[in-house]
Amino acid sequence: MKPLNSPLEIGVRALVLLSESHPDALDLAQLALLDHAVLHSEEFDGPPSLHPDLPARSGELGLRRTVLEQALLVLIRAGLAELEADGTGLVYRATERGPAFVDILEAPYVLRLRERAEWAVHQWAPDTDVRATTRSLLAAHPSSCEGHRG
């Protein structure tokens, strides 16, 4: 199993994001972009990034969606998240067990991840057009974040 950006690692990050947004749900596009923003938060005028800036990181976003879907299935099977349909399509939501599970994780990386998830969900995301920002990140150079309105 590859250690970086594996379904397990992305699943933990997704669960942290879903727990931070709980009880609100997030769709796959929101989760993928929030995951990117959490890892590269400094690029979006947030706290220091969790992962280093690499020249090819703009390609991460497109590749992450497939692994993210696998990771979300693991979370659903474990009873930590659920998939439901709403008026906009399919969305994911942490179950009551999800935030409780995140609360027992004590690794320094997870603590930094939780801080950035709080920033991303509550400060950055409300002023962000998810689809425009995703298009911008996929089409432009890695430091582009023109879809952000804040």
Side-chain angles (χ1 to χ4, degrees):
M1 176 196 269
K2 65 179 186 166
L4 297 175
N5 288 319
S6 66
L8 178 60
E9 180 188 356
I10 292 178
V12 169
R13 293 195 314 250
L15 182 58
V16 168
L17 287 164
L18 289 170
S19 295
E20 188 59 44
S21 69
H22 188 265
D24 296 331
L26 299 168
D27 66 24
L28 189 60
Q30 290 170 311
L31 276 168
L33 184 61
L34 283 167
D35 185 53
H36 184 82
V38 162
L39 295 180
H40 305 290
S41 49
E42 202 166 348
E43 175 182 334
F44 302 98
D45 299 322
S49 297
L50 278 177
H51 289 191
D53 291 340
L54 300 173
R57 79 176 182 278
S58 61
E60 288 178 14
L61 191 56
L63 298 173
R64 186 173 296 127
R65 280 182 70 115
T66 301
V67 181
L68 178 58
E69 287 177 309
Q70 295 168 358
L72 288 164
L73 288 175
V74 171
L75 295 176
I76 291 167
R77 285 187 201 120
L80 300 171
E82 57 193 8
L83 174 66
E84 56 191 60
D86 72 2
T88 63
L90 296 176
V91 293
Y92 298 88
R93 179 185 322 275
T95 63
E96 294 300 322
R97 292 176 51 197
F101 182 83
V102 169
D103 284 344
I104 65 171
L105 301 175
E106 296 180 359
Y109 178 84
V110 175
L111 298 176
R112 291 191 311 271
L113 175 61
R114 291 180 73 177
E115 291 168 356
R116 281 144 187 89
E118 181 180 0
W119 163 80
V121 169
H122 300 293
Q123 294 176 20
W124 182 73
D127 294 329
T128 301
D129 180 327
V130 172
R131 276 134 187 97
T133 303
T134 300
R135 278 192 304 274
S136 174
L137 287 168
L138 292 173
H141 60 87
S143 64
S144 174
C145 42
E146 89 188 30
H148 185 263
R149 296 186 309 246

